[in-house]
Structures are given as C-alpha cells and as structure tokens.
Amino acid sequence: MNIRKLSLLILLLLIADQALKIWVKTHMCLDESIAVFPDWFQLRFIENNGAAFGMHIATPGGFDWGKLLLGLFRIAMVGFLGWLLHRLVRRDDTPRGVLVGLALIIAGALGNILDSAFYGLLFSASTPYEVAHFGGHYAGFMMGKVVDMFYFPLFQWNGVPRLLRFLVDSNNYFFGAIFNLADAYISVAVVYLLLFHYKFFNK
C-alpha cells in the first residue's frame, strides 16, 4: 500500500466524519435524540470541549489555555504520525494493517481538530431550541466545540463501582459515553494495533 492510497483513505474517512457532524449540527437541536434502533442505539447531539468521548478539561475562567494546548498537542501528534506513516510505508516488512491503523488514527485526530479549529468560526451556537446554521460565529480559532452523536444506552447498571463510573451516563446506562466517528476511528485502530501488531512495534 503506497502513500497515495493511504492519503486517499484518510481523506475519505475525514469527509465521512465531517459530513455526519455537519448534518447533525445543522439539523438537530442540542441534546436532541433520534432513535436508530430503539432501546440501544440513538443519534444524540451533544457538544464537548474537545476531549475524547465527551470528557471535559477544567480550566480557569477567561481564555481556555488548556483547550489551546490540547489542540496544539493534537496537531503535533498528527504531524508525528504522518511522519511515522511515511517512514513505515517505505519499509518492506510493514504489515498493511499497521498502515491502515495509523491512517485511521490520523483521520480521527484530524476530524476532531477541525471541529475545534473551525466550527466556532463557521457556525452559530447550537442550543436546545434552535439548530445551528452556517455563517455564525460562536467561538474563536481553536475554541470550537466537538460534535458527538453516537449513543448506545445498552442497559442500566445500578450500583456501578466508583472506579467504573466513566462507563455509564447520569442515568446509569452502559455504555454511557456519546462519541463521534472520529473517536471510533481512533479507538478501533488503537485496539486493533495493540491486539494484532504489538510484536511489530516491539521490534
């Protein structure tokens, strides 16, 4: 697999992620839900400050330096992964799965970077009563919110241990996180690489 094919894969994944996010943002009110498969799969529109799976970064009032630093870290990480991908694609012993996995991680990171970098400049703010529209301006560069929509309230887990609270939502539904396509790219790729290609990275 050459770098051109991998670049095309990253581009297609990125387009799919952004197309879904833009549709959700411009067609759904904040916290609105659409039941895809009743009782276990919903499209539920929320926004978060930029951390994966809706986790928030607590920062002092005023300019969100924590959010800016997270964005810059992500950009640097994408640059490093792009360099690594370019290097590995030139090696004859690199498994195709490693290349595809890294492409998925890069696409996922870029998808969430675009939300933070540009959505605040391009869209009006989403509210529980009104959908967003193009041409608004609710935040500055790198200060936009990340759009999440996949929600799988599989079953209620009452009495969940404190250590595992992150796995349930406020109503004790497992799996409680609401995430987006970019998060899914990264999670699937990381698990796949750890399970099937750890020996290659150990070398």
Side-chain angles (χ1 to χ4, degrees):
M1 181 169 274
N2 58 40
I3 198 68
R4 182 175 297 180
K5 290 181 180 178
L6 289 167
S7 298
L8 179 59
L9 174 62
I10 291 170
L11 179 61
L12 291 175
L13 292 170
L14 192 58
I15 289 172
D17 172 70
Q18 290 298 304
L20 179 58
K21 287 175 177 174
I22 291 171
W23 184 89
V24 167
K25 190 163 180 64
T26 57
H27 289 78
M28 298 176 68
C29 294
L30 197 62
D31 209 35
E32 181 181 351
S33 297
I34 298 174
V36 180
F37 294 104
D39 299 329
W40 70 274
F41 177 29
Q42 301 174 22
L43 288 181
R44 182 178 175 185
F45 173 33
I46 68 165
E47 292 180 310
N48 71 73
N49 286 330
F53 292 99
M55 298 175 187
H56 295 277
I57 304 170
T59 57
F63 188 80
D64 196 339
W65 289 102
K67 184 173 176 61
L68 178 61
L69 289 174
L70 178 62
L72 293 176
F73 171 78
R74 280 179 168 157
I75 291 171
M77 184 58 65
V78 167
F80 168 74
L81 291 176
W83 169 83
L84 181 62
L85 182 66
H86 190 266
R87 181 170 179 173
L88 290 177
V89 80
R90 294 155 64 181
R91 288 178 47 168
D92 295 332
D93 64 336
T94 304
R96 178 173 294 192
V98 169
L99 300 176
V100 173
L102 289 175
L104 279 165
I105 295 172
I106 292 170
L110 283 173
N112 286 333
I113 287 170
L114 289 177
D115 292 27
S116 296
F118 299 112
Y119 278 26
L121 301 173
L122 298 176
F123 294 102
S124 63
S126 297
T127 74
Y129 314 105
E130 185 177 2
V131 299
H133 58 81
F134 282 108
H137 182 95
Y138 74 85
F141 179 65
M142 295 301 296
M143 293 295 115
K145 295 181 179 180
V146 175
V147 174
D148 291 328
M149 77 292 291
F150 293 135
Y151 180 42
F152 294 87
L154 299 178
F155 57 85
Q156 277 192 307
W157 186 5
N158 296 312
V160 59
R162 183 184 298 271
L163 187 64
L164 300 178
R165 283 296 306 171
F166 70 96
L167 292 175
V168 300
D169 63 11
S170 58
N171 296 315
N172 289 329
Y173 274 101
F174 176 91
F175 169 63
I178 302 176
F179 59 99
N180 59 43
L181 204 51
D183 295 329
Y185 294 160
I186 295 170
S187 300
V188 169
V190 169
V191 171
Y192 169 74
L193 291 174
L194 289 175
L195 287 178
F196 298 104
H197 294 289
Y198 65 92
K199 290 182 179 179
F200 174 78
F201 287 102
N202 280 341
K203 292 192 298 182

